[in-house]
Amino acid sequence: MTVEPGTEHVRVVHDGQVLAESRRPIVLRETGCPVRYYLPPEDVRTDLLTASDTRTHCPFKGDASYWSLPDAADLVWAYPDPKPEVAPIKNHFCFYETETVTG
């Protein structure tokens, strides 16, 4: 697993609404998993998200908390207290559907 600052321009759109847009993602690469972009909270429309009761545990990253939209449960997650190996992702938001913007 690797964690590094990214230079990609990434955007998250759900039902035509931009939920997040960032040019400073944290890129997490994990064997056997898709590349994940963790976005700083300042680049996420947190005002549109509602905290969920869902919690999951990853042996490599730690315990994740989730947020939802009215029509999309557990759409986004974050690690409030990640393991030291992935400390840069602390409190950054990750979405299932993230697009890389080119041009």
Side-chain angles (χ1 to χ4, degrees), residues 13-57:
V13 179
H14 180 77
D15 283 344
Q17 184 167 42
V18 176
L19 301 179
E21 188 160 2
S22 182
R23 293 179 187 271
R24 52 197 181 121
I26 301 294
V27 181
L28 187 140
R29 291 181 174 85
E30 195 172 356
T31 305
C33 296
V35 171
R36 293 288 184 205
Y37 298 100
Y38 284 79
L39 310 180
E42 308 83 51
D43 296 347
V44 177
R45 293 284 313 272
T46 55
D47 58 308
L48 301 176
L49 302 172
T50 303
S52 162
D53 291 333
T54 301
R55 302 289 182 268
T56 59
H57 176 77

Side-chain angles (χ1 to χ4, degrees), residues 1 9 11 15 18 22 36 43-44 52 58 76 81 85 91:
M1 180 170 12
H9 178 188
R11 181 183 298 143
D15 283 344
V18 176
S22 182
R36 293 288 184 205
D43 296 347
V44 177
S52 162
C58 170
V76 59
D81 189 25
E85 299 81 8
N91 292 326

Side-chain angles (χ1 to χ4, degrees), residues 48-75:
L48 301 176
L49 302 172
T50 303
S52 162
D53 291 333
T54 301
R55 302 289 182 268
T56 59
H57 176 77
C58 170
F60 306 108
K61 295 185 288 289
D63 296 320
S65 298
Y66 288 76
W67 288 262
S68 302
L69 289 173
D71 64 341
D74 300 336
L75 181 74

